[in-house]
Amino acid sequence: MGTSLQGKTVVITGAARGIGRECAVRFADEGADLALFDIAGDLDAVGYPLGSRSQLGHTAELCERRGSAVVAAAVDVRDTAQVDAAVKEALGRFHTVDVLVNNAGIAAPSGLVLHEISESDWSLMLDVDLTGAWRMMRAVAPVMVAQRSGSIINVSSTAGLVGYRNFSGYVTAKHGLIGLTKAAALDYAPHRVRVNALCPGSVRDNPLVEGRMLAEIAHSLDVPAGEYEELFLRDQPMNTLIETSDIAGAATWLAGDDSRQVTGAVITVDGGFTSR
């Protein structure tokens, strides 16, 4: 076990599976205690299954096996009361929050030209992918300010840096998350609280962490299930998809003291995709 996060408390949203689970396990390996939040249920408008209670429980179990103390809670980041209550529970257990990973997000409803998107679908995308991160930061930042330390990591996307056809809601939310990151970094720099954004590229759906985001994006584009990895590979300069472990590694660095002078940064883990 490493020690770079020994004694730290990390809050992760969207922790039931995928990048969230990979980050949770990596942080547990580094000695952190964890508050794991996930909606742990489906949204009718999204059109694909979201993280479940059993998946969230499995993430918690994996972290506990590594020696971490864990709080796991069903939290809808659209609900301020749920967010505040979950953060309060984490503080009651751990008395501090050192790292926040805003990973909760949805990729659908998507696949439509802008003028075809309903107002409710547009609002849902922004409420989860952008305003949800703001709600979490609003709940956690005062704790970090009071202790004069902390690292907030917002999981954006290459969609926060470039446009994608028929994904205007997602692109808008992820661009907004980068703007939020930069503004918050300036707000909290005097308090030694750092805020950075991670922009993953096309992340392989690793069955070990039950990831499925890439498959759902492909589904929104009507790409056959057996062909989508090859399709995404065509745009990868390094000719390989990103692994969830690549994202977790970058998040671990941003969480630890080795990045203590890094704030307001936008770090791409995309195999060179946005360098074209």
Side-chain angles (χ1 to χ4, degrees), residues 157-158 161 197-203 236 238 241-251 254 266-274:
S157 165
T158 53
L161 299 169
L198 273 179
C199 292
S202 297
V203 178
Q236 297 300 118
M238 295 185 72
L241 296 177
I242 310 305
E243 299 291 341
T244 51
S245 59
D246 298 324
I247 310 305
L254 285 173
V266 179
I267 297 176
T268 57
V269 186
D270 67 352
F273 174 81
T274 52

PDB file of all heavy atoms in Angstrom, residues 157-158 161 197-203 236 238 241-251 254 266-274:
ATOM      1  N   SER A 157     -14.270  16.343 -19.674  1.00  0.00           N
ATOM      2  CA  SER A 157     -14.210  15.456 -20.834  1.00  0.00           C
ATOM      3  C   SER A 157     -13.507  16.206 -21.952  1.00  0.00           C
ATOM      4  O   SER A 157     -13.384  17.441 -21.912  1.00  0.00           O
ATOM      5  CB  SER A 157     -15.638  15.087 -21.266  1.00  0.00           C
ATOM      6  OG  SER A 157     -15.672  14.512 -22.551  1.00  0.00           O
ATOM      7  N   THR A 158     -13.055  15.469 -22.961  1.00  0.00           N
ATOM      8  CA  THR A 158     -12.619  16.169 -24.171  1.00  0.00           C
ATOM      9  C   THR A 158     -13.774  16.977 -24.755  1.00  0.00           C
ATOM     10  O   THR A 158     -13.543  17.956 -25.474  1.00  0.00           O
ATOM     11  CB  THR A 158     -12.093  15.181 -25.229  1.00  0.00           C
ATOM     12  OG1 THR A 158     -13.078  14.167 -25.470  1.00  0.00           O
ATOM     13  CG2 THR A 158     -10.796  14.527 -24.768  1.00  0.00           C
ATOM     14  N   LEU A 161     -13.612  20.583 -24.257  1.00  0.00           N
ATOM     15  CA  LEU A 161     -12.591  21.322 -24.998  1.00  0.00           C
ATOM     16  C   LEU A 161     -12.906  21.461 -26.479  1.00  0.00           C
ATOM     17  O   LEU A 161     -12.437  22.395 -27.131  1.00  0.00           O
ATOM     18  CB  LEU A 161     -11.235  20.622 -24.834  1.00  0.00           C
ATOM     19  CG  LEU A 161     -10.713  20.538 -23.400  1.00  0.00           C
ATOM     20  CD1 LEU A 161      -9.520  19.586 -23.333  1.00  0.00           C
ATOM     21  CD2 LEU A 161     -10.317  21.919 -22.895  1.00  0.00           C
ATOM     22  N   ALA A 197      -9.426  20.381 -13.329  1.00  0.00           N
ATOM     23  CA  ALA A 197     -10.318  19.579 -14.168  1.00  0.00           C
ATOM     24  C   ALA A 197      -9.527  18.489 -14.879  1.00  0.00           C
ATOM     25  O   ALA A 197      -8.411  18.727 -15.352  1.00  0.00           O
ATOM     26  CB  ALA A 197     -11.027  20.453 -15.198  1.00  0.00           C
ATOM     27  N   LEU A 198     -10.115  17.318 -14.946  1.00  0.00           N
ATOM     28  CA  LEU A 198      -9.595  16.207 -15.739  1.00  0.00           C
ATOM     29  C   LEU A 198     -10.479  16.019 -16.958  1.00  0.00           C
ATOM     30  O   LEU A 198     -11.711  16.009 -16.847  1.00  0.00           O
ATOM     31  CB  LEU A 198      -9.605  14.908 -14.919  1.00  0.00           C
ATOM     32  CG  LEU A 198      -8.402  14.599 -14.045  1.00  0.00           C
ATOM     33  CD1 LEU A 198      -8.643  13.274 -13.304  1.00  0.00           C
ATOM     34  CD2 LEU A 198      -7.140  14.507 -14.868  1.00  0.00           C
ATOM     35  N   CYS A 199      -9.851  15.852 -18.111  1.00  0.00           N
ATOM     36  CA  CYS A 199     -10.599  15.657 -19.351  1.00  0.00           C
ATOM     37  C   CYS A 199     -10.231  14.313 -19.970  1.00  0.00           C
ATOM     38  O   CYS A 199      -9.274  14.219 -20.756  1.00  0.00           O
ATOM     39  CB  CYS A 199     -10.309  16.784 -20.342  1.00  0.00           C
ATOM     40  SG  CYS A 199     -10.967  18.379 -19.828  1.00  0.00           S
ATOM     41  N   PRO A 200     -10.967  13.258 -19.642  1.00  0.00           N
ATOM     42  CA  PRO A 200     -10.702  11.961 -20.274  1.00  0.00           C
ATOM     43  C   PRO A 200     -11.106  11.970 -21.743  1.00  0.00           C
ATOM     44  O   PRO A 200     -12.047  12.663 -22.150  1.00  0.00           O
ATOM     45  CB  PRO A 200     -11.601  10.992 -19.484  1.00  0.00           C
ATOM     46  CG  PRO A 200     -11.970  11.727 -18.230  1.00  0.00           C
ATOM     47  CD  PRO A 200     -11.995  13.167 -18.604  1.00  0.00           C
ATOM     48  N   GLY A 201     -10.381  11.176 -22.513  1.00  0.00           N
ATOM     49  CA  GLY A 201     -10.789  10.914 -23.884  1.00  0.00           C
ATOM     50  C   GLY A 201     -11.730   9.721 -23.919  1.00  0.00           C
ATOM     51  O   GLY A 201     -12.536   9.523 -23.004  1.00  0.00           O
ATOM     52  N   SER A 202     -11.640   8.909 -24.951  1.00  0.00           N
ATOM     53  CA  SER A 202     -12.513   7.738 -25.090  1.00  0.00           C
ATOM     54  C   SER A 202     -12.022   6.632 -24.165  1.00  0.00           C
ATOM     55  O   SER A 202     -10.987   6.009 -24.405  1.00  0.00           O
ATOM     56  CB  SER A 202     -12.502   7.248 -26.546  1.00  0.00           C
ATOM     57  OG  SER A 202     -13.024   8.238 -27.404  1.00  0.00           O
ATOM     58  N   VAL A 203     -12.762   6.412 -23.084  1.00  0.00           N
ATOM     59  CA  VAL A 203     -12.358   5.464 -22.048  1.00  0.00           C
ATOM     60  C   VAL A 203     -12.983   4.103 -22.322  1.00  0.00           C
ATOM     61  O   VAL A 203     -14.203   3.982 -22.467  1.00  0.00           O
ATOM     62  CB  VAL A 203     -12.777   5.974 -20.651  1.00  0.00           C
ATOM     63  CG1 VAL A 203     -12.387   4.963 -19.571  1.00  0.00           C
ATOM     64  CG2 VAL A 203     -12.143   7.331 -20.363  1.00  0.00           C
ATOM     65  N   GLN A 236      -7.822   8.159 -32.326  1.00  0.00           N
ATOM     66  CA  GLN A 236      -6.848   8.175 -31.240  1.00  0.00           C
ATOM     67  C   GLN A 236      -5.422   8.195 -31.787  1.00  0.00           C
ATOM     68  O   GLN A 236      -4.969   7.217 -32.388  1.00  0.00           O
ATOM     69  CB  GLN A 236      -7.030   6.946 -30.346  1.00  0.00           C
ATOM     70  CG  GLN A 236      -8.382   6.885 -29.638  1.00  0.00           C
ATOM     71  CD  GLN A 236      -8.607   8.084 -28.747  1.00  0.00           C
ATOM     72  OE1 GLN A 236      -9.522   8.855 -28.960  1.00  0.00           O
ATOM     73  NE2 GLN A 236      -7.762   8.237 -27.737  1.00  0.00           N
ATOM     74  N   MET A 238      -2.636   7.786 -30.376  1.00  0.00           N
ATOM     75  CA  MET A 238      -1.813   6.723 -29.816  1.00  0.00           C
ATOM     76  C   MET A 238      -2.372   5.335 -30.105  1.00  0.00           C
ATOM     77  O   MET A 238      -1.849   4.327 -29.625  1.00  0.00           O
ATOM     78  CB  MET A 238      -1.637   6.926 -28.304  1.00  0.00           C
ATOM     79  CG  MET A 238      -0.847   8.195 -27.967  1.00  0.00           C
ATOM     80  SD  MET A 238      -0.498   8.394 -26.205  1.00  0.00           S
ATOM     81  CE  MET A 238       0.743   7.099 -25.967  1.00  0.00           C
ATOM     82  N   LEU A 241      -7.434   3.004 -26.708  1.00  0.00           N
ATOM     83  CA  LEU A 241      -8.407   3.673 -25.874  1.00  0.00           C
ATOM     84  C   LEU A 241      -7.800   3.965 -24.499  1.00  0.00           C
ATOM     85  O   LEU A 241      -6.853   3.317 -24.062  1.00  0.00           O
ATOM     86  CB  LEU A 241      -9.664   2.805 -25.720  1.00  0.00           C
ATOM     87  CG  LEU A 241     -10.454   2.532 -26.994  1.00  0.00           C
ATOM     88  CD1 LEU A 241     -11.629   1.594 -26.704  1.00  0.00           C
ATOM     89  CD2 LEU A 241     -10.974   3.829 -27.607  1.00  0.00           C
ATOM     90  N   ILE A 242      -8.358   4.947 -23.826  1.00  0.00           N
ATOM     91  CA  ILE A 242      -7.919   5.296 -22.480  1.00  0.00           C
ATOM     92  C   ILE A 242      -8.484   4.250 -21.510  1.00  0.00           C
ATOM     93  O   ILE A 242      -9.602   3.768 -21.672  1.00  0.00           O
ATOM     94  CB  ILE A 242      -8.422   6.698 -22.103  1.00  0.00           C
ATOM     95  CG1 ILE A 242      -8.104   7.712 -23.196  1.00  0.00           C
ATOM     96  CG2 ILE A 242      -7.840   7.134 -20.766  1.00  0.00           C
ATOM     97  CD1 ILE A 242      -6.666   7.800 -23.588  1.00  0.00           C
ATOM     98  N   GLU A 243      -7.702   3.912 -20.494  1.00  0.00           N
ATOM     99  CA  GLU A 243      -8.161   2.987 -19.459  1.00  0.00           C
ATOM    100  C   GLU A 243      -8.624   3.780 -18.235  1.00  0.00           C
ATOM    101  O   GLU A 243      -8.126   4.868 -17.950  1.00  0.00           O
ATOM    102  CB  GLU A 243      -7.029   2.030 -19.051  1.00  0.00           C
ATOM    103  CG  GLU A 243      -6.510   1.153 -20.174  1.00  0.00           C
ATOM    104  CD  GLU A 243      -7.521   0.096 -20.620  1.00  0.00           C
ATOM    105  OE1 GLU A 243      -8.461  -0.204 -19.845  1.00  0.00           O
ATOM    106  OE2 GLU A 243      -7.360  -0.409 -21.751  1.00  0.00           O
ATOM    107  N   THR A 244      -9.576   3.218 -17.508  1.00  0.00           N
ATOM    108  CA  THR A 244     -10.017   3.879 -16.276  1.00  0.00           C
ATOM    109  C   THR A 244      -8.844   4.076 -15.316  1.00  0.00           C
ATOM    110  O   THR A 244      -8.802   5.057 -14.568  1.00  0.00           O
ATOM    111  CB  THR A 244     -11.123   3.064 -15.588  1.00  0.00           C
ATOM    112  OG1 THR A 244     -10.701   1.698 -15.444  1.00  0.00           O
ATOM    113  CG2 THR A 244     -12.417   3.103 -16.382  1.00  0.00           C
ATOM    114  N   SER A 245      -7.873   3.177 -15.345  1.00  0.00           N
ATOM    115  CA  SER A 245      -6.707   3.312 -14.468  1.00  0.00           C
ATOM    116  C   SER A 245      -5.879   4.543 -14.834  1.00  0.00           C
ATOM    117  O   SER A 245      -5.231   5.141 -13.960  1.00  0.00           O
ATOM    118  CB  SER A 245      -5.840   2.051 -14.537  1.00  0.00           C
ATOM    119  OG  SER A 245      -5.407   1.805 -15.865  1.00  0.00           O
ATOM    120  N   ASP A 246      -5.883   4.944 -16.109  1.00  0.00           N
ATOM    121  CA  ASP A 246      -5.177   6.155 -16.516  1.00  0.00           C
ATOM    122  C   ASP A 246      -5.795   7.388 -15.853  1.00  0.00           C
ATOM    123  O   ASP A 246      -5.089   8.301 -15.413  1.00  0.00           O
ATOM    124  CB  ASP A 246      -5.214   6.323 -18.035  1.00  0.00           C
ATOM    125  CG  ASP A 246      -4.533   5.188 -18.780  1.00  0.00           C
ATOM    126  OD1 ASP A 246      -3.508   4.682 -18.280  1.00  0.00           O
ATOM    127  OD2 ASP A 246      -5.017   4.815 -19.858  1.00  0.00           O
ATOM    128  N   ILE A 247      -7.119   7.410 -15.795  1.00  0.00           N
ATOM    129  CA  ILE A 247      -7.817   8.538 -15.172  1.00  0.00           C
ATOM    130  C   ILE A 247      -7.577   8.536 -13.666  1.00  0.00           C
ATOM    131  O   ILE A 247      -7.329   9.583 -13.056  1.00  0.00           O
ATOM    132  CB  ILE A 247      -9.324   8.482 -15.480  1.00  0.00           C
ATOM    133  CG1 ILE A 247      -9.576   8.281 -16.980  1.00  0.00           C
ATOM    134  CG2 ILE A 247     -10.001   9.752 -14.981  1.00  0.00           C
ATOM    135  CD1 ILE A 247      -8.927   9.289 -17.874  1.00  0.00           C
ATOM    136  N   ALA A 248      -7.651   7.361 -13.059  1.00  0.00           N
ATOM    137  CA  ALA A 248      -7.432   7.264 -11.613  1.00  0.00           C
ATOM    138  C   ALA A 248      -6.015   7.696 -11.238  1.00  0.00           C
ATOM    139  O   ALA A 248      -5.805   8.331 -10.199  1.00  0.00           O
ATOM    140  CB  ALA A 248      -7.703   5.839 -11.134  1.00  0.00           C
ATOM    141  N   GLY A 249      -5.051   7.362 -12.085  1.00  0.00           N
ATOM    142  CA  GLY A 249      -3.680   7.780 -11.813  1.00  0.00           C
ATOM    143  C   GLY A 249      -3.531   9.290 -11.818  1.00  0.00           C
ATOM    144  O   GLY A 249      -2.869   9.873 -10.948  1.00  0.00           O
ATOM    145  N   ALA A 250      -4.155   9.940 -12.795  1.00  0.00           N
ATOM    146  CA  ALA A 250      -4.100  11.400 -12.863  1.00  0.00           C
ATOM    147  C   ALA A 250      -4.825  12.025 -11.671  1.00  0.00           C
ATOM    148  O   ALA A 250      -4.359  13.015 -11.093  1.00  0.00           O
ATOM    149  CB  ALA A 250      -4.706  11.887 -14.173  1.00  0.00           C
ATOM    150  N   ALA A 251      -5.952  11.442 -11.297  1.00  0.00           N
ATOM    151  CA  ALA A 251      -6.708  11.962 -10.154  1.00  0.00           C
ATOM    152  C   ALA A 251      -5.913  11.812  -8.864  1.00  0.00           C
ATOM    153  O   ALA A 251      -5.932  12.701  -7.998  1.00  0.00           O
ATOM    154  CB  ALA A 251      -8.051  11.245 -10.042  1.00  0.00           C
ATOM    155  N   LEU A 254      -3.429  14.608  -8.685  1.00  0.00           N
ATOM    156  CA  LEU A 254      -4.066  15.882  -8.350  1.00  0.00           C
ATOM    157  C   LEU A 254      -4.519  15.921  -6.898  1.00  0.00           C
ATOM    158  O   LEU A 254      -4.595  16.990  -6.290  1.00  0.00           O
ATOM    159  CB  LEU A 254      -5.262  16.133  -9.274  1.00  0.00           C
ATOM    160  CG  LEU A 254      -4.939  16.544 -10.699  1.00  0.00           C
ATOM    161  CD1 LEU A 254      -6.211  16.600 -11.536  1.00  0.00           C
ATOM    162  CD2 LEU A 254      -4.209  17.890 -10.743  1.00  0.00           C
ATOM    163  N   VAL A 266      -6.354  22.349 -16.551  1.00  0.00           N
ATOM    164  CA  VAL A 266      -7.204  21.422 -17.307  1.00  0.00           C
ATOM    165  C   VAL A 266      -6.277  20.352 -17.876  1.00  0.00           C
ATOM    166  O   VAL A 266      -5.463  20.629 -18.759  1.00  0.00           O
ATOM    167  CB  VAL A 266      -7.955  22.158 -18.444  1.00  0.00           C
ATOM    168  CG1 VAL A 266      -8.816  21.166 -19.220  1.00  0.00           C
ATOM    169  CG2 VAL A 266      -8.800  23.284 -17.874  1.00  0.00           C
ATOM    170  N   ILE A 267      -6.369  19.162 -17.332  1.00  0.00           N
ATOM    171  CA  ILE A 267      -5.436  18.096 -17.675  1.00  0.00           C
ATOM    172  C   ILE A 267      -6.151  17.068 -18.546  1.00  0.00           C
ATOM    173  O   ILE A 267      -7.130  16.443 -18.129  1.00  0.00           O
ATOM    174  CB  ILE A 267      -4.878  17.441 -16.394  1.00  0.00           C
ATOM    175  CG1 ILE A 267      -4.075  18.486 -15.606  1.00  0.00           C
ATOM    176  CG2 ILE A 267      -4.024  16.236 -16.736  1.00  0.00           C
ATOM    177  CD1 ILE A 267      -3.557  18.000 -14.284  1.00  0.00           C
ATOM    178  N   THR A 268      -5.664  16.907 -19.757  1.00  0.00           N
ATOM    179  CA  THR A 268      -6.255  15.939 -20.673  1.00  0.00           C
ATOM    180  C   THR A 268      -5.575  14.581 -20.496  1.00  0.00           C
ATOM    181  O   THR A 268      -4.357  14.494 -20.366  1.00  0.00           O
ATOM    182  CB  THR A 268      -6.104  16.383 -22.131  1.00  0.00           C
ATOM    183  OG1 THR A 268      -4.730  16.591 -22.417  1.00  0.00           O
ATOM    184  CG2 THR A 268      -6.874  17.663 -22.383  1.00  0.00           C
ATOM    185  N   VAL A 269      -6.382  13.554 -20.492  1.00  0.00           N
ATOM    186  CA  VAL A 269      -5.896  12.169 -20.540  1.00  0.00           C
ATOM    187  C   VAL A 269      -6.635  11.556 -21.724  1.00  0.00           C
ATOM    188  O   VAL A 269      -7.635  10.862 -21.583  1.00  0.00           O
ATOM    189  CB  VAL A 269      -6.192  11.425 -19.232  1.00  0.00           C
ATOM    190  CG1 VAL A 269      -5.546  10.032 -19.270  1.00  0.00           C
ATOM    191  CG2 VAL A 269      -5.695  12.205 -18.014  1.00  0.00           C
ATOM    192  N   ASP A 270      -6.132  11.872 -22.911  1.00  0.00           N
ATOM    193  CA  ASP A 270      -6.893  11.560 -24.119  1.00  0.00           C
ATOM    194  C   ASP A 270      -6.039  10.979 -25.235  1.00  0.00           C
ATOM    195  O   ASP A 270      -6.485  10.915 -26.395  1.00  0.00           O
ATOM    196  CB  ASP A 270      -7.616  12.817 -24.615  1.00  0.00           C
ATOM    197  CG  ASP A 270      -6.668  13.901 -25.128  1.00  0.00           C
ATOM    198  OD1 ASP A 270      -5.434  13.755 -24.970  1.00  0.00           O
ATOM    199  OD2 ASP A 270      -7.155  14.900 -25.693  1.00  0.00           O
ATOM    200  N   GLY A 271      -4.811  10.542 -24.926  1.00  0.00           N
ATOM    201  CA  GLY A 271      -3.972   9.951 -25.949  1.00  0.00           C
ATOM    202  C   GLY A 271      -3.649  10.887 -27.096  1.00  0.00           C
ATOM    203  O   GLY A 271      -3.327  10.437 -28.208  1.00  0.00           O
ATOM    204  N   GLY A 272      -3.722  12.194 -26.861  1.00  0.00           N
ATOM    205  CA  GLY A 272      -3.384  13.173 -27.891  1.00  0.00           C
ATOM    206  C   GLY A 272      -4.544  13.619 -28.747  1.00  0.00           C
ATOM    207  O   GLY A 272      -4.363  14.404 -29.686  1.00  0.00           O
ATOM    208  N   PHE A 273      -5.766  13.192 -28.421  1.00  0.00           N
ATOM    209  CA  PHE A 273      -6.932  13.496 -29.265  1.00  0.00           C
ATOM    210  C   PHE A 273      -7.107  14.987 -29.484  1.00  0.00           C
ATOM    211  O   PHE A 273      -7.332  15.445 -30.612  1.00  0.00           O
ATOM    212  CB  PHE A 273      -8.192  12.903 -28.622  1.00  0.00           C
ATOM    213  CG  PHE A 273      -9.473  13.260 -29.321  1.00  0.00           C
ATOM    214  CD1 PHE A 273      -9.863  12.556 -30.448  1.00  0.00           C
ATOM    215  CD2 PHE A 273     -10.279  14.283 -28.857  1.00  0.00           C
ATOM    216  CE1 PHE A 273     -11.046  12.883 -31.103  1.00  0.00           C
ATOM    217  CE2 PHE A 273     -11.455  14.623 -29.499  1.00  0.00           C
ATOM    218  CZ  PHE A 273     -11.834  13.912 -30.624  1.00  0.00           C
ATOM    219  N   THR A 274      -7.015  15.793 -28.411  1.00  0.00           N
ATOM    220  CA  THR A 274      -7.258  17.228 -28.556  1.00  0.00           C
ATOM    221  C   THR A 274      -6.042  17.995 -29.039  1.00  0.00           C
ATOM    222  O   THR A 274      -6.099  19.227 -29.163  1.00  0.00           O
ATOM    223  CB  THR A 274      -7.738  17.825 -27.216  1.00  0.00           C
ATOM    224  OG1 THR A 274      -6.832  17.457 -26.158  1.00  0.00           O
ATOM    225  CG2 THR A 274      -9.127  17.338 -26.865  1.00  0.00           C
TER     226      THR A 274
END
